[in-house]
Amino acid sequence: MDKFYLTTAIAYTSAKPHIGNTYEAILADSIARFKRKQGYDVFFQTGTDEHGQKIEEKAKAAGKTPKEYVDEVAAEIKRLWDLVGVSYDKFIRTTDLEHEKQVAKIFEKLYKQGDIYKGSYEGWYCTPCESFWTESQLVDGKCPDCGRPVKKAQEEAYFFKMSKYADRLLKYYEEHPEFILPVARKNEMVNNFLKPGLQDLCVSRSSFKWGIPVGFDAKHVVYVWLDALTNYITGIGYDADGNSTEQFDKLWPADLHVIGKDIIRFHVIYWPIFLMALGLPLPKQVYGHGWLLQDGGKMSKSKGNVIYADDLVEFFGRDAVRYYVLTAMPQSSDGLISWESIIEKVNADLANVLGNLVNRTVAMSNKYFGGKVEDKGAAEDIDNDLKSVVSSAYKKVCDCMKDYSVSDALEEIFTVFRRANKYIDETAPWVLAKDEKNSSRLATVLYNLTESIIIGLSLLYPFMPETAEKGAANFGLPLRDFSDLDKFGGFTETQVKETPEILFARLDQKVVMEKVDKMHAERVAKETPKTEEKKDKPMIDIEDFEKVQLKVAKVVACEKVEKSKKLLKLTVKLGNETRTVVSGIAQHYAPEDLIGKKLVLVANLKPAKLCGIESQGMIVCAENEQGKIAYLTPEQDIEDGSEIF
Ligand code: ME8
């Protein structure tokens, strides 16, 4: 059995992935399932890309450590992949210890053999921000982050000698015309990047910390793309010291990297060159799919209209979402998606063509033959076209899948279902049923329909696995092996379900869109700061204010509250008195930030239990519109326990 090792790009853990990223996982999953059905020994790897400055910054803004942050987002990505039925064999994270260890070793190996060298690059430095900027990043000649003046500076960094391998890479392209798919993307790479000459690539960073440290020079972390790309070999057991696993020897080189068009350059220039430097064979093929774009404008959080896979699955079910995104993307350009068009597709293709066909066929077998289906041998010429469309579908679908034209493959499969619907109109079983002497013919017609559906569903399995299985179960039949799909007449008799499971019901566009709009409105409301909260409170009398007792409190101990992301437990001293206070500021302060600090405490607030701990007061804080929180502190040192008025 031939092996087939395929991968997706590993998704950034900077935010929850939208449907565009999820599309790629569904696409690769369909290919993996198709190859398994074709008899390949498939290994399918996907995962998450977890290092880099952007993630470090996002974590900081969320008041979390980078690891806490990526743990959450990686879990969310895994949940989404599972939700849409991604049948991966391995889910790699670039924070996996084994991956980190190998990346450090790879870097050192490439350094020792002279492919990586230490150099420096010149740029503009902003001292308060500790950031390097290129000329083009500056805004009016100043730091793009803080607007302060920058100065010319040099920074040490490690570089990879890209140009050394450029000719070998061009030769590889020539000898392997199938390497980059679609072909148009190859020409772009050759003309825009390789022919003008490759620059050496900066493969280390020292302006931030969240990355894999360079083992022999810990000031630097490994450039995130060198770290991320190597997941394809570390995930299957590559070892830079020459002790790679048997699995690696079996699986490498990869048969297919499935990626989006924006990252082709990294996969067909940098990645093959890193591999050449490591002395490893190059992947057989890189498929750069297009992008899913939103009809009517960009997806944006402020509009609350970012499309996420879990929302779609909730509204339409897993397989409808898979079908929709796979058919929305043509092989060599971008695809447009919208809530309205998914509803139309569900109704037109899934409910009307497929659902209806299955339902009608099962219902007729129940009505006319008590659910029994068998061929009574009463064939007629009119059957031949149906049989030829159905038994030639397998080859056509395989042809489409040779270059992963998944939307075309699905079109071929739906041609089978459409043809079968037409066959119902041509043969009019309800007319045949009127005369007992047509009974054999009627049985044969229903047999032909059932057989066509089973072949269609068997082909559909890689793309819509649950639907295929549910559909076949309605006929009391298993899905057919791919090796048996080019023959018509693969079962003798069966008994269909008395009440078939409805595969897809028709949707009312107006009702669904009202729900979708409500969901978007709620999301925007949730993300917009509440206006009531910002409104000034009504005037109070001095007596009202005097009811509140504020005191200076000194933090003597502080720890996180277990099982809570938001709460800190503080022990505070007010003169001779010691109290426990629970405060929701854990995302803004680490416990050690607060120990020894003097704060303002609402000292006469009735005690309340938070996470089982009694809180004896409240810390006074300021909060801005973005949700940033700062505690208040006396302007001069003053004894704890002092009154505030
Ligand atoms: O690029 N439609 O991660 P990522 C279709 N970590 N595909 C899309 C898309 C869209 N609207 N938007 C993004 C990264 N993608 C790197 C990969 S691999 C060693 C490192 C695709 O989370 C994108 O092209 O930004 C990429 O293939 C994948 O989603 C993950 O994107």
Side-chain angles (χ1 to χ4, degrees), residues 28 191 313 461:
N191 297 331
V313 170
Y461 170 83

Side-chain angles (χ1 to χ4, degrees), residues 9-12 18 20-21 23-24 49 225 228-229 231-232 259-263 267 289-292 329:
I10 47 173
Y12 281 128
H18 54 62
N21 312 118
Y23 159 78
E24 181 173 299
D49 185 356
W225 273 100
L229 287 162
N231 91 84
Y232 302 132
I259 54 158
K261 61 177 185 178
D262 55 318
I263 56 171
H267 283 81
H289 59 75
W291 269 27
L292 281 185
M329 183 81 91

Side-chain angles (χ1 to χ4, degrees), residues 478-533:
L479 290 169
R480 193 100 21 103
D481 286 346
F482 269 24
S483 50
D484 294 329
L485 289 183
D486 53 356
K487 309 177 231 345
F488 199 92
F491 74 101
T492 317
E493 62 170 62
T494 187
Q495 183 71 28
V496 304
K497 268 195 186 161
E498 211 173 320
T499 22
E501 213 176 318
I502 302 291
L503 298 184
F504 296 97
R506 270 192 72 78
L507 301 168
D508 182 327
Q509 171 142 354
K510 193 163 164 274
V511 173
V512 177
M513 283 316 295
E514 273 170 13
K515 283 195 199 155
V516 171
D517 291 342
K518 189 164 166 249
M519 177 183 80
H520 287 158
E522 282 170 4
R523 219 160 260 176
V524 171
K526 213 170 138 196
E527 278 171 21
T528 315
K530 290 190 190 79
T531 42
E532 313 84 87
E533 279 176 10

Side-chain angles (χ1 to χ4, degrees), residues 97-150:
L97 287 181
E98 189 50 34
H99 172 81
E100 292 192 339
K101 196 171 108 191
Q102 287 302 332
V103 171
K105 280 210 234 174
I106 288 170
F107 196 96
E108 192 162 344
K109 180 180 164 101
L110 296 175
Y111 177 72
K112 281 194 181 143
Q113 71 188 37
D115 281 306
I116 288 178
Y117 63 93
K118 195 171 192 176
S120 68
Y121 66 81
E122 265 195 13
W124 295 95
Y125 193 67
C126 173
T127 314
C129 296
E130 293 181 38
S131 296
F132 255 99
W133 305 105
T134 60
E135 185 82 38
S136 62
Q137 286 174 315
L138 300 181
V139 176
D140 298 329
K142 304 223 166 89
C143 171
D145 263 4
C146 69
R148 281 180 274 213
V150 286

Side-chain angles (χ1 to χ4, degrees), residues 16 49 75 82 131 189 193 213 221 237 240 252 320 332-333 361 432 437 451 499 523 528 544 578 580 585 609 618 641:
K16 175 176 174 177
D49 185 356
D82 291 339
S131 296
M189 291 300 129
F193 298 103
V221 294
W252 194 256
S332 50
S333 54
T361 307
L432 293 174
K437 73 175 190 308
E451 174 69 353
T499 22
R523 219 160 260 176
T528 315
D544 291 327
T578 303
T580 299
I585 52 175
K609 273 206 167 170
M618 189 176 85

